[in-house]
């Protein structure tokens, strides 16, 4: 299935939810983001700036606010929300970065937009061992990472729950497109367990709910090497959460391995490819949806695909033990 970003908000039956901002809403949001570029030290990772962004997020256009809050309450069968026509002007951007661990420290208009929308959804957080703990990260192709299962790669990125190994993984992942891929068809891929579950038989679902899987941490996370044995599906059996990374999760026995293969097939069958264009921001409910990306061919000449990424938690307090100094960055 392919979803285009052309429509106004669709209902849940017709594909993933899309909210297209109108010209007035886009203008209001641009003014708000511009205010934030001048606030405080003008740095996203400054706690004073973040407090200001939280306060300003109360002034989002009402329709956007309503849509984000409804999505937070229930992310729907596809577990994703895409907001389009955000005020991003690709012609005004610097060259797409090409270095590993690239982040956006400056409170630019796109960085402010990503944080504003993230604040409306919950609390924007980051991880110390990933991209220097910066709140706004760049998803860009990096030559030395081309073949890697990371967002700097350009090979097919396997379906994953973001930071699946981490006890406080994000509740939501937001990806804002600044610059599209050359092919104009490089898709972020999403697949919801709410769509895939009906394709799985009862015995497979039972195995997936048992402590028969371990997930490795990426090499950059030095603190946690391997999760304890855990289920892939948790919570209400008729509407479970999913936590799996098809690159990093291993089954502990043959039946569990078979269940993992079947889960992957079911998710692939309900997969949707989302081609993000400049000014499109997709939010993925990381408890219901796995995401990945198709392979593509970067040029590394400053014109490649460029996304900003933010992570959102709903319960900031719950991760306090992982947040030294009560800041937004988790260990
Ligand atoms: O490049 C994409 O569309 C998604 C990359 C990804 O999985 C991530 O940044 O978390
Ligand atoms: Fe990801």
């Amino acid at each position: 299935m392919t979803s285009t970003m052309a429509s106004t908000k669709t209902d849940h039956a017709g594909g993933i939810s899309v909210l297209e901002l109108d010209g007035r809403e886009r203008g209001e949001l641009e003014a708000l983001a511009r205010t934030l570029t001048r606030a405080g030290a003008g740095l996203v990772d400054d706690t004073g700036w973040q407090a200001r962004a939280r306060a300003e997020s109360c002034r989002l256009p009402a329709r956007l606010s309503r849509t984000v809050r409804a999505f937070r309450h229930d992310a729907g069968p596809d577990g994703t929300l895409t907001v389009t026509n955000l005020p991003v002007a690709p012609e005004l951007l610097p060259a797409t970065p090409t270095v590993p661990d690239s982040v956006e420290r400056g409170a630019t208009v796109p960085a402010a937009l990503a944080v504003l929308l993230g604040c409306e959804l919950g609390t924007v957080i980051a991880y110390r061992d990933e991209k220097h703990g910066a709140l706004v990260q760049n998803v860009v192709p990096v030559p030395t990472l081309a073949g890697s299962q990371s967002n700097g790669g350009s090979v097919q990125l396997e379906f994953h729950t973001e930071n699946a190994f981490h006890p406080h993984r994000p509740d939501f992942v937001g990806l804002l497109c600044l610059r599209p891929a050359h092919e104009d068809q490089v898709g972020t891929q999403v697949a919801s367990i709410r769509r895939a579950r009906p394709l799985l038989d009862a015995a497979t679902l039972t195995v997936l709910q048992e402590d028969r899987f371990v997930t490795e941490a990426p090499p950059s996370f030095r603190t946690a090497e391997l999760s304890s044995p855990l289920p892939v599906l948790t919570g209400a059996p008729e509407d479970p959460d999913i936590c799996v990374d098809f690159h990093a999760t291993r089954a502990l026995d043959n039946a569990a391995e078979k269940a993992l293969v079947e889960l992957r097939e079911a998710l692939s069958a309900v997969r949707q490819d989302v081609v993000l264009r400049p000014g499109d921001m997709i939010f993925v409910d990381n408890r219901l949806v796995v995401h990945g990306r198709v392979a593509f061919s970067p040029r590394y000449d400053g014109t490649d695909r460029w996304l900003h990424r933010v992570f959102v938690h709903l319960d900031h307090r719950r991760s306090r033990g992982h947040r030294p100094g009560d800041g937004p960055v988790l260990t």
Side-chain angles (χ1 to χ4, degrees), residues 62-77:
R63 204 166 60 107
L64 174 58
S65 225
R66 238 182 359 253
T67 304
V68 171
R69 285 178 186 212
F71 175 68
R72 181 206 306 163
H73 175 70
D74 187 335

Side-chain angles (χ1 to χ4, degrees), residues 1 7 25 61 64 79 83 95 112 114 126 166 172 182 200 209 220 228-229 231 258 306 311:
M1 271 184 277
S7 57
E25 291 164 328
L64 174 58
V83 180
H166 201 287
F172 298 96
H182 302 296
L200 295 164
Q209 289 163 51
S220 57
S228 51
K258 182 165 170 286
W306 182 2
F311 296 143

Side-chain angles (χ1 to χ4, degrees), residues 45-87:
D45 296 298
D46 176 74
T47 48
W49 188 88
Q50 287 156 24
R52 183 73 187 276
R54 257 193 312 280
E56 297 294 345
S57 72
C58 302
R59 297 170 54 215
L60 293 180
R63 204 166 60 107
L64 174 58
S65 225
R66 238 182 359 253
T67 304
V68 171
R69 285 178 186 212
F71 175 68
R72 181 206 306 163
H73 175 70
D74 187 335
D78 294 298
T80 63
L81 169 67
T82 304
V83 180
T84 70
N85 200 28
L86 289 162

